Amino acid sequence: MEDELQLAMADLDEEKTLLLVKIRINAGYTPMEIVESCRRGIEVVGTKYSDSHYYLSDLIMSEEIFKEVMQILEPHIPVDDSNKGFTIIMGTIEGDIHDLGKNIIIYLLRSLGFQVYDLGVDVTPERFVQAVNETQASILGISVLLSFCVGSIKKVVDLLIEVGLRDKVKVIVGGYPVNREVKEFTGADFCANDLTEAIKIYRQILEEKGRGSVSSE
């Protein structure tokens, strides 16, 4: 069965997308379920752009529509004040300027009460490590869309080991090409290319840190 919200997002139908979001909220859908449908629609937009069926302006339009979606959803996302003591660093790895997936995750994490530092895109391994050292963050989230940039994520982990910070921070890698092989190659603790799974991992890490131990998947 086709997802009507995903199709509306993929067609850049702003009015229909926002209407369907409101309908789904009233029907009892969770904000995460709604965001996931929108994310899949945005992926279609990205594919159409890559195939030259959409233009850069269409990519920008999809981001603007999603921002409006999040404005509607924000009051319906429960805030957990217990998360405020944890710091998360996020950024897109060096050589990659894609940030939509990262921005979605950051928006959701902040809505859930987490303190998130966004380093932006095209972030060097050295800058990631510097940020971990400066903020004493519990989690480092690295986003990647381009497969050839995966090697730079390994450099981040290697640098964390070199400066003695590796045991103090959990590294999560997320993005379209991410899988178990990427996790093992880079030395990351966790990997995810699904919004729901990513949020679950962030929560798991912080819950287990509170108990004094965290086991990687």
Side-chain angles (χ1 to χ4, degrees), residues 3 5 20-40 66 69-70 72-78 108 112 194-197 199 203:
D3 185 331
L5 177 55
L20 287 171
V21 168
K22 293 173 183 177
I23 289 173
R24 292 196 176 190
I25 289 174
N26 292 330
Y29 284 74
T30 67
M32 195 68 69
E33 289 171 331
I34 294 171
V35 167
E36 182 60 22
S37 290
C38 292
R39 183 193 66 82
R40 290 196 299 267
F66 182 75
V69 169
M70 289 309 300
I72 295 172
L73 292 179
E74 190 170 10
H76 301 275
I77 300 175
L108 289 173
L112 292 169
D194 172 86
L195 281 178
T196 303
E197 181 63 24
I199 295 296
R203 281 176 158 163

Side-chain angles (χ1 to χ4, degrees), residues 172-191:
I172 305 175
V173 182
Y176 178 75
V178 172
N179 53 29
R180 290 276 179 174
E181 286 72 24
V182 169
K183 171 182 172 292
E184 295 302 322
F185 171 74
T186 60
D189 297 292
F190 300 88
C191 65

Side-chain angles (χ1 to χ4, degrees), residues 5-20:
L5 177 55
Q6 177 183 335
L7 291 174
M9 188 78 228
D11 290 339
L12 300 174
D13 189 332
E14 180 179 8
E15 183 177 351
K16 186 175 182 179
T17 297
L18 300 181
L19 176 61
L20 287 171

Side-chain angles (χ1 to χ4, degrees), residues 63-203:
E63 292 194 38
E64 292 303 314
I65 294 174
F66 182 75
K67 287 178 183 177
E68 292 186 68
V69 169
M70 289 309 300
Q71 287 175 2
I72 295 172
L73 292 179
E74 190 170 10
H76 301 275
I77 300 175
V79 175
D80 184 352
D81 290 334
S82 65
N83 294 329
K84 289 185 177 179
F86 295 97
T87 300
I88 299 171
I89 292 171
M90 295 284 294
T92 301
I93 194 62
E94 182 178 27
D96 198 331
I97 60 171
H98 297 87
D99 66 354
L100 185 57
K102 170 183 70 66
N103 291 345
I104 292 173
I105 287 288
I106 289 173
Y107 204 115
L108 289 173
L109 288 172
R110 285 176 175 166
S111 297
L112 292 169
F114 296 107
Q115 183 176 10
V116 185
Y117 289 90
D118 182 9
L119 301 183
V121 300
D122 194 20
V123 182
T124 65
E126 291 79 9
R127 179 68 188 104
F128 275 116
V129 173
Q130 178 186 10
V132 171
N133 186 48
E134 290 174 349
T135 65
Q136 298 298 301
S138 303
I139 300 175
L140 172 58
I142 304 176
S143 176
V144 62
L145 185 67
L146 304 175
S147 299
F148 64 81
C149 295
V150 167
S152 292
I153 300 175
K154 186 178 187 306
K155 291 180 182 177
V156 175
V157 177
D158 290 344
L159 272 177
L160 287 170
I161 294 171
E162 185 179 320
V163 300
L165 291 173
R166 184 65 185 91
D167 295 335
K168 298 180 181 179
V169 62
K170 292 297 174 181
V171 179
I172 305 175
V173 182
Y176 178 75
V178 172
N179 53 29
R180 290 276 179 174
E181 286 72 24
V182 169
K183 171 182 172 292
E184 295 302 322
F185 171 74
T186 60
D189 297 292
F190 300 88
C191 65
N193 53 20
D194 172 86
L195 281 178
T196 303
E197 181 63 24
I199 295 296
K200 187 186 302 182
I201 289 172
Y202 281 98
R203 281 176 158 163

